[in-house]
Amino acid sequence: MDEATIRLLLFLGIFASMAAFELVLPRRDLTLGRGRRWLTNLAIVATDTAVLRIVFPMAAVGIALWASENGIGLFPWLELSFWLAALLGFVLLDFAVWAEHWASHKIPLLWRIHKMHHVDRDIDVTTALRFHPLEILISMAWKAAVVVAFGIPVVAVLVFEVVLNGAAMFNHANVKLPGWLDRGLRLLVVTPDMHRVHHSVIRRETDSNYGFNLSIWDRLFRTYVDQPRDGHAGMTIGLAEYQTPEPAGYLWSLALPFRRPPARAEGKGVADASVKADREIA
Ligand SMILES: [Zn+2]
Ligand SMILES: [Zn+2]
């Protein structure tokens, strides 16, 4: 089996396991449900895969292979041992992805693209697949730059990509883990309860917990929020300015970065008002 087949099988296996887990032990009731939302989120990941293939035929692993064949990067230059380079490379890539995510919330142009991820009215395994094709391209270029600059070993890049993909499906899953398990896992990795805080409509919570895999970066950079203010069952998911059925649409979602945004709910007040309005409707 080639790399692409192994990765596809792993993806399908983790996706099916998380989807089954969500049916058995759901954390919250879904606001918009599956139906059209799932179709859209799955169509988005299919689009992303196609766009990525066309623009970056090599992807991160191919670029790592090219760099290693040519002895490019800091690690080969320092003559680090394979295992040290692989371990450092994995952690560095994880930090690079964390930093990119943080920047996506701070730089208005990147936020326009990234908010397509946040506008999902629910958070479940398919939300992990819901990234704008432009964000996927920016992210691949950024990872490729890090891989080449440091000369990260091919195996570390391959393992990182597979783990990142699996971790995202795990921490977006609408599943209820026992408290002791969540607390234990959180010491090392991002759990579903930890990432759910990031999908809250409350700005302070949206701008927290940027990690997708290792949980250390948010603690280190003081962007860690332990629990949502309104609890996991009571919190509102999505963006305060888009509490409508539209985010479940495929074309609407892809066009989102190019549409004039309504005033972003700045600060707590607006988001809270929207949460209240939502509750009153419900
Ligand atoms: Zn985000
Ligand atoms: Zn997310």
Side-chain angles (χ1 to χ4, degrees):
M1 275 195 284
D2 62 356
E3 184 211 325
T5 314
I6 295 170
R7 288 182 65 172
L8 180 67
L9 289 176
L10 275 170
F11 166 78
L12 292 174
I14 298 169
F15 181 86
S17 316
M18 288 303 144
F21 196 178
E22 287 180 344
L23 286 177
V24 181
L25 266 180
R27 185 54 144 148
R28 309 166 31 92
D29 294 332
L30 296 179
T31 307
L32 290 188
R34 293 192 177 82
R36 189 159 172 243
R37 255 191 74 241
W38 271 46
L39 265 181
T40 288
N41 290 354
L42 293 172
I44 288 171
V45 76
T47 309
D48 289 346
T49 311
V51 169
L52 199 59
R53 280 278 160 85
I54 294 164
V55 180
F56 282 104
M58 292 225 296
V61 177
I63 288 157
L65 203 61
W66 171 81
S68 86
E69 277 165 3
N70 293 283
I72 295 170
L74 183 68
F75 293 167
W77 185 70
L78 290 174
E79 295 178 357
L80 290 190
S81 74
F82 168 78
W83 287 109
L84 186 60
L87 185 70
L88 276 179
F90 183 94
V91 175
L92 251 167
L93 276 172
D94 200 65
F95 174 67
V97 168
W98 180 91
E100 185 203 355
H101 189 188
W102 176 85
S104 299
H105 281 243
K106 304 297 171 195
I107 300 171
L109 187 67
L110 294 181
W111 170 251
R112 264 178 178 257
I113 299 168
H114 179 59
K115 74 180 175 185
M116 200 204 76
H117 178 66
H118 282 271
V119 86
D120 200 344
R121 297 284 309 281
D122 290 300
I123 168 168
D124 67 13
V125 61
T126 65
T127 311
L129 315 174
R130 188 190 162 93
F131 288 97
H132 199 279
L134 287 173
E135 179 159 9
I136 294 293
L137 292 179
I138 292 168
S139 183
M140 185 54 78
W142 171 234
K143 282 186 285 189
V146 173
V147 165
V148 171
F150 289 91
I152 299 173
V154 182
V155 179
V157 178
L158 178 61
V159 170
F160 176 79
E161 291 280 79
V162 170
V163 168
L164 182 70
N165 194 253
M169 286 194 275
F170 167 66
N171 62 46
H172 283 86
N174 179 32
V175 294
K176 190 175 174 156
L177 294 184
W180 59 267
L181 185 59
D182 180 89
R183 282 189 296 276
L185 287 172
R186 244 189 230 211
L187 296 174
L188 184 66
V189 295
V190 176
T191 63
D193 277 8
M194 182 175 161
H195 190 69
R196 196 173 301 106
V197 176
H198 184 74
H199 282 260
S200 161
V201 290
I202 299 170
R203 178 76 183 267
R204 190 184 94 82
E205 296 179 354
T206 316
D207 293 346
S208 76
N209 298 2
Y210 296 105
F212 281 123
N213 183 23
L214 301 178
S215 62
I216 185 178
W217 312 118
D218 287 299
R219 297 175 202 272
L220 208 59
F221 294 95
R222 300 181 181 279
T223 49
Y224 176 70
V225 173
D226 190 50
Q227 301 294 335
R229 191 195 65 187
D230 298 331
H232 289 280
M235 68 189 291
T236 305
I237 300 292
L239 295 176
E241 61 270 39
Y242 293 107
Q243 291 292 307
T244 58
E246 287 163 324
Y250 172 76
L251 291 176
W252 185 92
S253 298
L254 288 184
L256 186 62
F258 310 103
R259 200 174 289 124
R260 225 174 93 92
R264 188 183 177 187
E266 286 297 332
K268 264 176 89 207
V270 184
D272 286 4
S274 145
V275 172
K276 264 191 213 118
D278 233 41
R279 291 240 176 82
E280 274 154 25
I281 293 161

